[in-house]
Amino acid sequence: MKTPYKNIYNVLKLNRFIVLAVVVCALLSSTFSVWMVFNTNQKALNSAFAINTDGSIIPLKLVTQKENFRVEALAHLDLFHNYFYNIDASNYERNLEKALWLGNSSVDNLYRQKKADGVYNRLLQYSLVQKVLSIDSRISENDGANSFTTTTIFEINRGSIIDTYELVSTGNLIMVDRNFPNNPHGLLITNYFENTLKKLNDES
């Protein structure tokens, strides 16, 4: 007995259905895989991991890291500006030495320029007291680089005369190894520049 041949059109329809089903499944599978990779990548970018003392893995959110960096950066800038500008005849050498640990050669160059201009000699000669009244820093991030603008209000006491000044300075911050107590925040000021200095009063 001969086996009857199937209708060629039915066979083609079945083959086309199978091909379409395979293609659709492949597209759905590929789309799901791409979504899973993207989702995993986003989670990885927003998280970091540390090993606890007991060997367990601790997830650390990137947002928290950025918040911690901001706190450390503000504290670093506050420390630097206090050391660099809050000086008098009795503490200026000690304070400036501490300030130089917190910045790179741009800070050292500024210090040397001030020294060459006789700023510290006048401090000693006239027993001047330079006191920081307030420090306001703003930090911004651009293409992975962290820059800052700091407004420092300080007064210079000349005995019978007290002058108040506003200094606006800028620079960048980079991360380095912590060095306690010289650099407790593990940051370094680079490209430091005193932009503007203006006198706020004419008290006498």
Side-chain angles (χ1 to χ4, degrees):
M1 183 177 178
K2 292 183 179 181
T3 303
Y5 290 104
K6 295 182 180 179
N7 188 303
I8 187 63
Y9 295 106
N10 290 336
V11 172
L12 291 176
K13 287 181 180 179
L14 179 61
N15 287 344
R16 185 171 62 179
F17 174 78
I18 293 173
V19 170
L20 287 175
V22 170
V23 170
V24 170
C25 289
L27 287 174
L28 290 175
S29 177
S30 299
T31 303
F32 179 74
S33 298
V34 170
W35 179 81
M36 285 294 294
V37 170
F38 177 79
N39 190 42
T40 303
N41 184 58
Q42 288 298 107
K43 289 181 178 180
L45 288 175
N46 290 325
S47 302
F49 299 91
I51 305 299
N52 201 358
T53 53
D54 59 1
S56 61
I57 297 177
I58 309 172
L60 302 172
K61 293 297 181 182
L62 186 61
V63 173
T64 304
Q65 290 179 328
K66 288 183 177 179
E67 289 176 352
N68 289 342
F69 173 82
R70 179 176 175 79
V71 172
E72 295 266 16
L74 290 174
H76 186 84
L77 292 171
D78 189 79
L79 192 64
F80 167 76
H81 286 83
N82 264 304
Y83 280 150
F84 203 72
Y85 298 103
N86 200 71
I87 55 177
D88 57 41
S90 65
N91 70 8
Y92 83 97
E93 289 183 329
R94 181 173 64 253
N95 280 9
L96 290 173
E97 182 181 355
K98 292 178 179 179
L100 293 176
W101 277 95
L102 307 179
N104 73 343
S105 58
S106 62
V107 174
D108 184 63
N109 291 338
L110 178 61
Y111 159 71
R112 292 178 184 276
Q113 182 62 49
K114 287 177 177 288
K115 187 175 182 180
D117 291 341
V119 172
Y120 306 119
N121 284 337
R122 289 193 294 274
L123 193 76
L124 292 172
Q125 184 177 356
Y126 300 107
S127 298
L128 304 180
V129 176
Q130 185 169 293
K131 180 180 180 182
V132 171
L133 302 179
S134 67
I135 300 170
D136 179 31
S137 297
R138 295 181 300 278
I139 302 169
S140 58
E141 182 181 353
N142 186 20
D143 294 332
N146 295 286
S147 59
F148 68 86
T149 300
T150 299
T151 301
T152 305
I153 307 295
F154 64 91
E155 65 180 21
I156 298 180
N157 190 327
R158 296 179 172 86
S160 59
I161 301 175
I162 298 178
D163 293 323
T164 304
Y165 296 87
E166 178 188 82
L167 171 70
V168 178
S169 56
T170 58
N172 297 327
L173 286 170
I174 61 173
M175 299 184 70
V176 296
D177 291 336
R178 294 179 189 268
N179 184 342
F180 187 84
N182 297 319
N183 192 335
H185 302 290
L187 295 170
L188 196 70
I189 295 171
T190 65
N191 301 320
Y192 186 69
F193 185 72
E194 293 182 342
N195 293 74
T196 60
L197 177 66
K198 66 178 180 180
K199 192 174 181 179
L200 297 181
N201 69 340
D202 293 301
E203 295 178 5
S204 59

